[in-house]
Amino acid sequence: MKKSVWRFLDTGYRTAAENMALDDVLLECKSQGVSPDTLRLLRFRPPAVLVGYHQDVEQEVRLEFVRERGIDVNRRITGGGAIYLDESCIGWEIIASKDSLPAYRSMEDLFAIMCRGIVQALRLLGIDASFRPKNDVEVSGRKISGTGGTERGDAILYHGTLLVDLDVETMIKALKIPVAKLTDKAVKSIKERVTCVRWELGYVPEYEEIKEAIRRGFEEEFGIEFVEDGLMAEEEEAFRRKLPYFQSDDWVYLNRRTREHALLTAVTKKPGGLMRVALALDPDYNVIKSIIITGDFFVSPRRAILDLEARLKFIPADEDSIRRVVREFFEEKSVDMPGITPDDVASLIIEAVRKARYAETLGLSTEEADSL
């Protein structure tokens, strides 16, 4: 059977605005039947912070820090959370017709399918990666590629970022993630949750080696053949037309001024040890935006807490939902935390969530409510 031929497009180093404009152009042109099915690789120079389409830049990014460092700030056409990308990071994305993709029954199926190529690419590099629901690629429980997507008509854009090297301190300072201060413990906590190619291999392979692994990974998993090519004339023209908008404050800020994403903490001491929770809420949608669980407890399997954090993302921030998700997770994964029950974990999360309610009802700031 003859394999489908897709374009392999490497757009090299570009600014954040250029890369985001190209995302929009490629998806639009594909939806109009102009562009071929494509795997695109992209890189960022200077380094960049990208917020999700629905996010408020001022609530997600430490603007004074990134401006001092010359770090670009821009907005994705897809949803999800804010990310920091240095010049070593490699973006990968599929822009294709829905009927060109392997069959899928649900969005969860699609996420898993789209991550197959990068999982196989990492394995070709000697890294034992796997897919972790809802939309991450991980190595031993630590995220190495976050993913997401959007669609327009019959076309879909699905993309991810491959962490090749990682400057954790700069990432923490650039993004408003749930760590109260830049301490050694905060850096260690982040390193327990993310990884990169250099940490896994002990060195950074040449770009061309990584590029070839990504190409082969998607060819093998999608049963297709790539031909490397550049942008089409129609795409170049659309890019020139759209770029000024993607460079503008109108796009970057998008008049989004949401309420403050509350950063809240809670701590408890149980027979099994000390346990802390730090979480960020999205008050407009009443969901848990991100969460970190730390402490001196013991847990088996060791990666259970990292998987639980992933499971809790984007769930409703109400007591019933939190207790249900935690209990189901402990049962499904046969989690054992000596001296700590699933309800202990759920109650601690709920305690942190309730502080946001105190802020609203008592007219307190987030910092004042968090000290209660």
Side-chain angles (χ1 to χ4, degrees):
M1 181 176 177
K2 188 175 180 180
K3 292 183 177 180
S4 298
V5 177
W6 289 31
R7 174 174 59 176
F8 189 71
L9 176 64
D10 183 352
T11 53
Y13 281 115
R14 292 180 181 259
T15 67
E18 289 171 336
N19 275 321
M20 297 305 96
L22 277 172
D23 278 355
D24 192 69
V25 165
L26 292 169
L27 183 59
E28 178 182 274
C29 288
K30 183 60 196 176
S31 71
Q32 295 171 348
V34 173
S35 300
D37 294 327
T38 299
L39 169 62
R40 177 191 176 209
L41 299 188
L42 56 153
R43 291 185 283 172
F44 292 80
R45 180 176 287 164
V49 168
L50 302 179
V51 299
Y53 180 78
H54 302 286
Q55 292 186 304
D56 176 356
V57 169
E58 292 178 349
Q59 296 296 340
E60 304 296 332
V61 185
R62 302 186 193 279
L63 288 171
E64 183 177 352
F65 174 80
V66 299
R67 287 166 180 159
E68 289 174 354
R69 292 296 187 93
I71 297 170
D72 275 355
V73 177
N74 213 277
R75 179 179 301 276
R76 298 192 304 275
I77 66 172
T78 57
I83 55 175
Y84 168 71
L85 306 101
D86 64 20
E87 294 185 7
S88 73
C89 185
I90 300 173
W92 58 270
E93 55 192 33
I94 292 287
I95 308 101
S97 300
K98 294 177 184 176
D99 59 10
S100 298
L101 302 172
Y104 58 94
R105 294 172 295 180
S106 65
M107 291 306 295
E108 289 76 13
D109 283 347
L110 178 62
F111 294 162
I113 287 167
M114 288 301 214
C115 289
R116 285 182 195 164
I118 203 67
V119 167
Q120 178 60 9
L122 286 163
R123 290 175 178 172
L124 290 169
L125 290 169
I127 299 172
D128 187 16
S130 59
F131 172 71
R132 177 174 66 189
K134 302 174 182 173
N135 59 337
D136 293 337
V137 175
E138 53 142 50
V139 181
S140 301
R142 299 191 295 170
K143 182 164 74 172
I144 195 168
S145 182
T147 73
T150 189
E151 60 184 45
R152 194 172 299 174
D154 189 48
I156 190 166
L157 181 147
Y158 196 91
H159 58 182
T161 53
L162 177 59
L163 297 177
V164 177
D165 204 345
L166 184 58
D167 181 349
V168 176
E169 291 193 11
T170 299
M171 181 182 72
I172 292 174
K173 290 178 178 178
L175 304 178
K176 293 183 178 179
I177 58 178
V179 291
K181 297 179 180 178
L182 180 58
T183 63
D184 289 342
K185 285 187 177 180
V187 172
K188 181 181 178 183
S189 179
I190 296 300
K191 286 184 175 181
E192 289 172 349
R193 288 161 173 79
V194 296
T195 189
C196 61
V197 172
R198 181 174 68 83
W199 296 356
E200 296 301 320
L201 296 180
Y203 68 99
V204 175
E206 294 294 329
Y207 172 71
E208 290 300 324
E209 182 182 351
I210 299 175
K211 175 178 174 178
E212 180 60 21
I214 295 173
R215 174 180 180 141
R216 284 181 54 198
F218 279 95
E219 281 185 336
E220 293 174 10
E221 292 299 322
F222 279 42
I224 57 178
E225 179 182 344
F226 287 118
V227 173
E228 188 158 5
D229 204 351
L231 292 168
M232 302 171 64
E234 296 92 335
E235 295 166 338
E236 292 275 15
E237 190 281 327
F239 173 68
R240 288 191 292 270
R241 173 169 44 86
K242 286 177 175 282
L243 179 59
Y245 176 60
F246 281 86
Q247 293 171 323
S248 72
D249 284 350
D250 286 345
W251 168 251
V252 174
Y253 291 90
L254 208 62
N255 295 321
R256 297 196 64 85
R257 293 296 183 267
T258 58
R259 289 180 291 155
E260 182 180 1
H261 288 181
L263 176 59
L264 301 162
T265 61
V267 61
T268 189
K269 178 71 173 176
K270 296 294 180 182
L274 187 75
M275 184 167 50
R276 297 183 184 86
V277 164
L279 58 81
L281 297 181
D282 186 329
D284 294 289
Y285 297 96
N286 192 38
V287 297
I288 294 175
K289 179 171 164 286
S290 57
I291 183 167
I292 291 178
I293 303 168
T294 59
D296 58 5
F297 50 79
F298 292 92
V299 61
S300 177
R302 189 173 67 173
R303 57 172 288 164
I305 291 299
L306 306 182
D307 288 342
L308 176 60
E309 291 170 350
R311 185 74 63 91
L312 288 164
K313 285 194 303 185
F314 311 125
I315 72 164
D318 62 71
E319 181 169 347
D320 289 344
S321 297
I322 292 167
R323 290 200 186 279
R324 175 180 53 79
V325 169
V326 173
R327 287 168 179 167
E328 289 177 353
F329 178 83
F330 268 69
E331 182 175 355
E332 176 189 330
K333 300 295 185 181
S334 301
V335 178
D336 182 21
M337 292 182 72
I340 298 176
T341 69
D343 276 341
D344 290 335
V345 178
S347 294
L348 187 63
I349 298 168
I350 292 164
E351 179 185 338
V353 167
R354 284 176 177 163
K355 292 182 178 181
R357 311 292 178 259
Y358 301 152
E360 291 182 1
T361 59
L362 300 177
L364 303 176
S365 68
T366 300
E367 292 76 11
E368 289 169 334
D370 191 48
S371 68
L372 295 176

